Amino acid sequence: MEDCLFCKIAAGDIPSKKLYEDEQVVAFYDIAPQAKVHFLVIPKRHIPSAAALTEEDGALLGHVFAVIAKLAREQGLDNGYRVISNVGEDAGQTVKHLHFHVLGGEKLPV
Ligand code: AMP
Ligand code: ZN
């Protein structure tokens, strides 16, 4: 999608510190980390937020969470981590392309 920051990152048109990429998803470090480890996992396909997901996206979501689990292991997040997806204004969603924050590496505030 034109004018979407994360579509541009997925396409490689805007640089990012990528941890992982395959045909469906990209993972990269958050530019303003909120924890010792903070990366984002996004589908390459433009989906505005979790509110736009349908039953047909089940396989994609399963893949996203399998990638998250693999990357969390690789990043040494054995003691746990948090996965967050903000939806809309009240949640503070600033980038309107579905993304999953993965936070860890330290005790996170409750
Ligand atoms: P949200 O507020 O849930 O929409 O999250 C958007 C996240 O994207 C924020 O945590 C930002 O720090 C992060 N972000 C914005 N621009 C970039 C970028 N160019 N590279 C990596 N992360 C970014
Ligand atoms: Zn997009």
Side-chain angles (χ1 to χ4, degrees):
M1 191 199 180
E2 263 178 56
D3 275 344
C4 171
L5 175 64
F6 286 178
C7 280
K8 287 177 182 163
I9 284 180
D13 295 340
I14 288 179
S16 66
K17 279 179 66 184
K18 276 184 193 165
L19 298 88
Y20 178 82
E21 177 169 15
D22 63 29
E23 60 288 341
Q24 292 187 86
V25 304
V26 184
F28 53 96
Y29 288 103
D30 196 290
I31 205 167
Q34 303 295 310
K36 279 198 180 134
V37 177
H38 184 180
F39 59 88
L40 303 172
V41 180
I42 67 169
K44 285 189 170 174
R45 176 159 63 89
H46 183 83
I47 299 172
S49 79
L53 290 167
T54 70
E55 299 284 346
E56 276 72 56
D57 298 313
L60 172 64
L61 282 177
H63 182 61
V64 164
F65 276 89
V67 167
I68 287 172
K70 169 185 134 67
L71 295 176
R73 276 194 301 274
E74 288 176 7
Q75 297 281 315
L77 305 184
D78 313 315
N79 214 36
Y81 56 93
R82 185 170 289 158
V83 182
I84 294 174
S85 191
N86 292 317
V87 179
E89 290 301 315
D90 280 1
Q93 184 186 1
T94 57
V95 181
K96 308 296 193 257
H97 179 127
L98 177 63
H99 53 281
F100 295 88
H101 296 260
V102 181
L103 300 135
E106 61 186 317
K107 197 84 181 165
L108 300 168
V110 179

